[in-house]
Amino acid sequence: MARFQEAGGKVSWTGLLVLVHFSYLLVGATIFQILEREAESNNRNHFQLEKLNFLANYTCLDGPALEKFVQIILDAWEKGVNPSGNSTNPSNWDFSSSFFFAGTVVTTIGYGNLSPSTVSGQVFCVFYALCGIPLNLVFLNQLGKCLTIHLGRLERGMLSLVPHKQSVEVLAVGLFVASGSLLFLVIPPLLFSYVEDWSYGEGFYYAFITLSTIGFGDYVVGTDPDKHYITVYRSLAGVWIIFALAWLALVLSIGAKLMENAIGLTRPGLRRQPGGVEDGSSGKLEEELGQRAAEPKI
């Protein structure tokens, strides 16, 4: 197990990561509970009040009949059918929507608002994902390599103008992140907010939740039955997801390296042990080998 050594003591790098990771989860759970629990309670109370008002206005219905109708609506929603509107709503399984769904499968986003309802579709989805997810990882890895090559060319081009290597690296990474953010995180939410009638904050929220492959499904493009989207709208959104994921993966990789470098700068006495062998054991082994080498041969 990889360890750090500082001032004669040893700190497990894995143990430190486990502690930080679960502490982060606990803090997140606490904050989400504080922010969302009261709103959930208010929404639940509002819904129950609306049901009571509906029963009061339509006395021909009783409580069990309304609950049955609500369950029918929920079942329809789970199967990808929007309960609002009528039967003329656009299909969720036209080619453009199917292409978008295929992209969410291989990228593991999985919004949850649409899934195969037939047994044959579910079986095919399993095998499609088994082959598609590794293929997508290889594809994203190759795209990341191409972006890394272009980033290296940018650095070499800037080195001819500015001889300071560290300054050039920082500037090149900054330009790469800024241009990618503009192309994948700033402009797309503007388009989404215009087409979907979202606020810019909602569009940005959708973009980040999608590209981080969290995919809650509370915001999904091209699902409003009252709108008439162009045929390739969702297909273009799928292409945006693929290329933006490659850029975001490279940015997260750069961020992880920066965090490791920051640990080394803030704690210069903290030194990671290579190879996963503890210092004490390796030191004893080297000492024993040295003693054996020093013994006279008979």
Side-chain angles (χ1 to χ4, degrees), residues 175-226:
L175 288 175
F176 175 77
V177 173
S179 59
S181 299
L182 184 66
L183 185 61
F184 297 120
L185 283 177
V186 176
I187 296 178
L190 288 174
L191 300 176
F192 296 144
S193 60
Y194 173 75
V195 175
E196 305 287 345
D197 286 335
W198 296 340
S199 66
Y200 181 79
E202 290 172 327
F204 185 85
Y205 169 80
Y206 163 76
F208 182 80
I209 292 299
T210 296
L211 298 184
S212 59
T213 68
I214 297 173
F216 289 126
D218 48 352
Y219 289 89
V220 183
V221 295
T223 56
D224 191 342
D226 297 326

Side-chain angles (χ1 to χ4, degrees), residues 29-272:
T30 303
I31 294 176
F32 282 127
Q33 182 181 23
I34 294 173
L35 295 176
E36 298 295 333
R37 190 168 186 175
E38 184 178 355
E40 179 200 28
S41 179
N42 293 336
N43 291 333
R44 183 182 290 113
N45 294 335
H46 177 72
F47 177 68
Q48 295 298 330
L49 182 61
E50 288 294 327
K51 285 201 300 183
L52 293 176
N53 291 336
F54 185 83
L55 290 173
N57 293 330
Y58 299 91
T59 55
C60 58
L61 284 175
D62 57 5
L66 179 60
E67 292 295 335
K68 184 178 180 179
F69 182 65
V70 170
Q71 186 60 47
I72 293 174
I73 293 176
L74 291 176
D75 291 340
W77 181 262
E78 289 177 358
K79 294 178 181 179
V81 177
N82 195 322
S84 62
N86 50 45
S87 59
T88 61
N89 288 343
S91 172
N92 286 320
W93 294 106
D94 56 14
F95 182 79
S96 180
S97 299
S98 299
F99 182 86
F100 183 78
F101 174 76
T104 63
V105 170
V106 299
T107 56
T108 69
I109 293 175
Y111 287 115
N113 68 314
L114 184 65
S115 59
S117 58
T118 63
V119 175
S120 56
Q122 293 169 353
V123 172
F124 174 74
C125 185
V126 170
F127 288 100
Y128 184 77
L130 285 175
C131 299
I133 291 173
L135 175 63
N136 182 67
L137 291 176
V138 173
F139 176 71
L140 292 180
N141 183 53
Q142 186 62 33
L143 279 181
K145 290 180 179 178
C146 293
L147 292 176
T148 303
I149 292 173
H150 288 295
L151 181 59
R153 290 176 179 173
L154 177 62
E155 290 182 358
R156 288 192 295 270
M158 295 176 64
L159 274 174
S160 61
L161 301 175
V162 182
H164 302 288
K165 184 177 180 181
Q166 292 184 344
S167 301
V168 167
E169 289 179 351
V170 172
L171 186 58
V173 171
L175 288 175
F176 175 77
V177 173
S179 59
S181 299
L182 184 66
L183 185 61
F184 297 120
L185 283 177
V186 176
I187 296 178
L190 288 174
L191 300 176
F192 296 144
S193 60
Y194 173 75
V195 175
E196 305 287 345
D197 286 335
W198 296 340
S199 66
Y200 181 79
E202 290 172 327
F204 185 85
Y205 169 80
Y206 163 76
F208 182 80
I209 292 299
T210 296
L211 298 184
S212 59
T213 68
I214 297 173
F216 289 126
D218 48 352
Y219 289 89
V220 183
V221 295
T223 56
D224 191 342
D226 297 326
K227 294 185 177 300
H228 299 283
Y229 302 100
I230 61 175
T231 306
V232 296
Y233 175 59
R234 300 192 82 184
S235 297
L236 292 176
V239 173
W240 162 73
I241 289 173
I242 294 295
F243 285 94
L245 279 176
W247 168 80
L248 187 61
L250 185 57
V251 169
L252 293 178
S253 176
I254 293 174
K257 292 180 180 179
L258 291 177
M259 289 182 64
E260 291 182 357
N261 293 335
I263 292 176
L265 290 175
T266 56
R267 306 293 296 275
L270 199 61
R271 183 170 58 89
R272 188 170 180 173

Side-chain angles (χ1 to χ4, degrees), residues 267-281:
R267 306 293 296 275
L270 199 61
R271 183 170 58 89
R272 188 170 180 173
Q273 302 301 320
V277 181
E278 298 184 17
D279 274 358
S281 59

